[in-house]
Amino acid sequence: MTAQTVEEQDLWLTEAQQGSWRHYLEGTARFVEALSAVHDRTLELSLGEYSLLVQLSEAPELTMRMSTLADGLVLSRSRLTHTVARMEARGLVERRAAEGDRRGVNCTMTDAGCTALEVAAPGHVAAVRRIMVDALEPEEFEMLGRIMAKVAESSKASGGTEEGLSALCD
């Protein structure tokens, strides 16, 4: 086998890998679409707003730096700023200057945000259970969690940072 043949062979996914890849793409897209539809039709928070409030609910003093929040939600800072502005207008969050850092901005969940999250959580969890958890065997769901943790870590290392992008693109 020549070096070129080996390189060509490594370039393409096998038929089984291609099938798995396509199932992953369709499955994640349809899951997010279905969960977003539940939020849009039945809950007072969009899926993105819900995810943002969950992140804040788990943070000390219900507060996170905007840059950390953007990273945790895998959003651009610009997109996060627009989302937070809409939520701030509804009284769900507040932006405040970060103490000791004139350039930093924190996002804090308000009492109204806490209430909105508490009201939306049962519907969100029921939808996640119906759409994903109940579709899988318990072992499959646990394995999915382990697999996606690996994918998230690999993605951060390979493409989610300037160093990772340089390694992929150079």
Side-chain angles (χ1 to χ4, degrees):
M1 195 175 269
T2 67
Q4 183 178 14
T5 305
V6 170
E7 288 175 13
E8 287 176 6
Q9 183 179 13
D10 289 343
L11 179 65
W12 303 107
L13 299 176
T14 66
E15 190 172 328
Q17 290 169 333
Q18 183 71 280
S20 294
W21 170 242
R22 297 264 172 104
H23 287 304
Y24 164 80
L25 290 175
E26 181 181 7
T28 55
R30 292 195 185 277
F31 173 75
V32 171
E33 176 185 52
L35 190 56
S36 292
V38 169
H39 276 263
D40 293 345
R41 291 180 191 149
T42 65
L43 303 175
E44 295 294 319
L45 297 171
S46 71
L47 180 56
E49 292 168 342
Y50 181 87
S51 299
L52 189 149
L53 291 178
V54 167
Q55 290 275 321
L56 292 175
S57 76
E58 296 170 348
E61 300 178 30
L62 307 176
T63 300
M64 293 178 75
R65 280 184 76 101
M66 291 283 284
S67 57
T68 304
L69 190 55
D71 184 57
L73 294 170
V74 194
L75 293 176
S76 69
R77 290 182 187 185
S78 173
R79 184 162 183 183
L80 177 65
T81 297
H82 290 294
T83 301
V84 168
R86 285 192 313 272
M87 294 175 74
E88 193 170 30
R90 291 170 46 206
L92 303 173
V93 298
E94 294 176 348
R95 284 181 281 189
R96 299 180 185 146
E99 208 171 292
D101 182 355
R102 292 185 299 148
R103 295 182 307 150
V105 177
N106 288 335
C107 183
T108 301
M109 184 164 47
T110 64
D111 290 343
C114 288
T115 299
L117 182 60
E118 289 171 5
V119 169
H124 172 85
V125 173
V128 169
R129 181 170 299 287
R130 184 176 63 254
I131 299 165
M132 181 182 284
V133 178
D134 292 346
L136 302 173
E137 296 297 323
E139 301 81 22
E140 292 173 320
F141 189 68
E142 289 175 22
M143 177 154 309
L144 178 63
R146 289 193 303 272
I147 289 167
M148 295 313 296
K150 287 182 180 181
V151 170
E153 190 59 37
S154 174
S155 298
K156 285 181 197 175
S158 299
T161 64
E162 283 300 315
E163 296 82 18
L165 286 172
S166 294
L168 284 177
C169 299
D170 292 342

